[in-house]
């Protein structure tokens, strides 16, 4: 256990150190209250959901590897895990649900028939935590998605089914927003695409546009629902073309005043979402982020405090974009303790924001505007090794959550007491 006195002493020194750069650490701790992170529910159980007793992720170009014990087998077990996660995180979190996580009472409820009653338990859970819920249509792991097409399918029956599913999802999300008093972000990601070079790229994209137009014809108050759409460069089995590409959704969201969802695992590795934020926000009111870590072909590793995440946070903080950027996470790893995965990823995302707040932006800007690029680079490098950890630990202490690496023991304890007793 980290000693409280030590944390306080270290913070006092850090405060003095940052003050030397013109940065007020107390003010930074205040600003951290504005950072709200939406936790993706699907790390909890490897994107399985609760549709049937043995539901599993299937198709759609996303995969989970690993078979770590302790995976929740019921909504109750999953909520227990999420309660644990929420209790060990500093700051304010939301929860982002996928449509397959409803409480279907052991009955077969197909995707086009889901209703608010299947999610009332989650609304009550969110009320208990004093937080908001976001939502996602699930257009994969379903026989009607097996051929790789959903909303852009040339089969009218298939398309109708998925249009109805997404309509049902938006209705549920709007009800979340209404009951919880905070708008729900509904994100739409579809796997549609082709492994090998298609001849009719235009045809599929025209169909997708038509499906979206029908879906969004129904309007909901902004205080209840925000609609986002997530682009992707390629997936497994959709290497040659993804119908919902970046250009497609950028165009669609600008034209229709919707939210673009940027997942930083969905671009060529040399393209950075941190660079895209200020570009798209010249034309869009709001965006959604899926913060993740791409490793080679996988776009969904557990988030760590790397340059990419720090740049994303810097861009949001430097430009005061926190009220225009909805921050969501998106990773899933079944090879480690899943509760621990959430903690590592969410804390890293939060740390990126704290680092961004601790930047002497004014000084850096002055250097830049006077073409003093050596000084800009040198100061940026210097800030990387200031006493960030001491501020972070103090923040955790203030928030009454484990300091430093103390959360590791908490996770191991939960594993021994709860997870290992499952199944
Ligand atoms: C897939 C997208 C999408 C999913 C979730 C489960 O490539 O990133 O966001 O990860 O909907
Ligand atoms: Zn994503």
């Amino acid at each position: 256990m980290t000693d409280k006195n030590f944390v306080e002493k270290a913070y006092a020194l850090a405060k003095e150190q940052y003050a030397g750069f013109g940065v007020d650490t107390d003010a930074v701790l205040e600003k951290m209250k504005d950072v709200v992170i939406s936790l993706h529910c699907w790390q909890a159980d490897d994107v399985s959901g609760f549709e049937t007793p043995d539901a599993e992720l299937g198709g759609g170009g996303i995969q989970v590897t690993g078979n770590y014990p302790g995976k929740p087998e019921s909504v109750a077990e999953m909520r227990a895990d999420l309660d644990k996660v929420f209790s060990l995180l500093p700051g304010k979190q939301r929860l982002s649900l996928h449509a397959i996580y409803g409480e279907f009472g052991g009955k077969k409820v197909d995707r086009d028939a889901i209703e608010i009653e299947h999610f009332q338990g989650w609304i009550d859970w969110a009320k208990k935590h004093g937080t908001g819920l976001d939502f996602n249509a699930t257009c994969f792991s379903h026989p009607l998605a097996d051929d790789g097409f959903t909303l852009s399918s040339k089969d009218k029956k298939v398309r109708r089914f998925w249009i109805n599913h997404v309509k049902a999802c938006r209705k549920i999300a709007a009800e979340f927003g209404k009951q919880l008093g905070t708008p729900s972000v509904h994100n739409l990601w579809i796997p549609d695409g082709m492994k090998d070079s298609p001849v009719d790229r235009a045809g599929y994209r025209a169909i997708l546009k038509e499906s979206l137009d029908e879906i969004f014809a129904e309007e909901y108050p902004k205080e209840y629902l925000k609609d986002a759409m997530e682009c992707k460069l390629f997936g497994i089995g959709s290497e040659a073309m993804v119908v919902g590409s970046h250009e497609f959704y950028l165009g669609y969201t600008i034209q229709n005043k919707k939210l673009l969802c940027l997942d930083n695992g969905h671009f060529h590795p040399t393209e950075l979402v941190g660079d895209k934020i200020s570009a798209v926000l010249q034309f869009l009111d709001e965006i959604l982020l899926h913060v993740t870590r791409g490793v080679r072909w996988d776009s969904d590793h557990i988030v760590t405090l790397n340059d990419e995440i720090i740049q994303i946070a810097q861009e949001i903080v430097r430009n005061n974009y926190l009220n225009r950027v909805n921050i969501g996470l998106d990773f899933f790893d079944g090879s480690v303790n899943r509760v621990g995965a959430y903690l590592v990823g969410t804390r890293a995302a939060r740390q990126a924001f704290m680092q961004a707040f601790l930047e002497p932006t004014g000084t850096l800007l002055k250097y830049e505007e006077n073409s003093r690029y050596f000084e800009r680079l040198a100061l940026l490098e210097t800030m990387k090794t200031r006493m960030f950890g001491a501020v972070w630990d103090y923040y955790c202490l203030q928030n009454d959550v484990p300091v430093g690496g103390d959360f590791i023991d908490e996770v191991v304890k939960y594993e021994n007491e709860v997870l290992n007793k499952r199944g």
Side-chain angles (χ1 to χ4, degrees), residues 42 187 189 230-231 261-266 289-292 299-300 329-332:
W42 49 97
N187 182 46
W189 173 75
E230 181 177 3
C231 62
C261 173
L262 297 173
D263 179 315
N264 62 294
H266 287 191
L289 293 184
H290 269 186
V291 179
T292 188
S299 61
D300 303 294
L329 303 177
D330 183 12
F331 52 80
F332 29 97

Side-chain angles (χ1 to χ4, degrees), residues 86 89 103 112 115 119 143 161 268 286 319 321-322 382 415:
F86 271 56
L89 286 173
E103 289 175 272
D112 55 347
E115 290 188 60
F119 295 89
F161 175 81
H268 186 277
E286 281 187 48
N319 299 301
Y321 284 152
L322 269 176
T382 302
E415 177 168 326

Side-chain angles (χ1 to χ4, degrees), residues 28 66 94 116 128 163 197-198 250 272 353:
V28 168
R94 300 167 63 89
I116 191 65
K128 199 182 82 194
I163 290 173
S197 295
L250 180 62
L272 294 168
F353 280 93

Side-chain angles (χ1 to χ4, degrees), residues 236-388:
I236 299 167
S238 61
E239 290 85 357
M241 173 198 63
V242 165
V243 182
S245 59
H246 182 46
E247 291 72 14
F248 180 90
Y249 284 127
L250 180 62
Y252 195 88
T253 51
I254 291 174
Q255 190 170 58
N256 296 283
K257 301 202 177 321
K258 299 289 183 192
L259 279 69
L260 180 67
C261 173
L262 297 173
D263 179 315
N264 62 294
H266 287 191
F267 294 90
H268 186 277
T270 67
E271 277 186 82
L272 294 168
V273 162
D275 179 57
K276 296 179 189 297
I277 294 171
S278 62
V280 301
L281 284 183
Q282 304 300 324
F283 305 98
L284 291 166
D285 290 338
E286 281 187 48
I287 58 170
L288 169 66
L289 293 184
H290 269 186
V291 179
T292 188
R293 176 166 53 107
V295 174
R296 303 199 190 279
W297 53 265
D298 178 58
S299 61
D300 303 294
H301 271 57
I302 301 166
V303 169
T304 57
L305 185 59
N306 61 14
D307 283 356
E308 205 173 317
I309 307 307
I310 292 172
Q311 190 198 27
I312 288 172
Q314 284 170 333
E315 282 297 311
I316 296 171
V317 166
R318 287 172 183 161
N319 299 301
N320 259 320
Y321 284 152
L322 269 176
N323 56 351
R324 296 175 63 194
V325 179
N326 300 272
I327 306 154
L329 303 177
D330 183 12
F331 52 80
F332 29 97
D333 187 339
S335 73
V336 297
N337 181 308
R338 295 173 185 80
V339 168
Y342 273 120
L343 295 175
V344 169
T346 315
R347 290 165 85 97
R350 235 168 226 295
Q351 286 173 348
F353 280 93
M354 180 176 274
Q355 284 215 353
F357 281 128
L358 287 168
E359 177 185 272
T361 312
T363 312
L364 288 162
L365 194 62
K366 229 183 279 154
Y367 287 149
E368 180 164 292
E369 289 176 347
N370 291 311
S371 307
R372 304 304 300 175
Y373 299 141
F374 152 72
E375 290 91 328
R376 179 184 63 183
L377 182 64
L379 182 55
L380 281 168
E381 285 300 294
T382 302
M383 294 321 290
K384 284 185 182 169
T385 52
R386 297 311 86 199
M387 294 173 73
F388 164 71

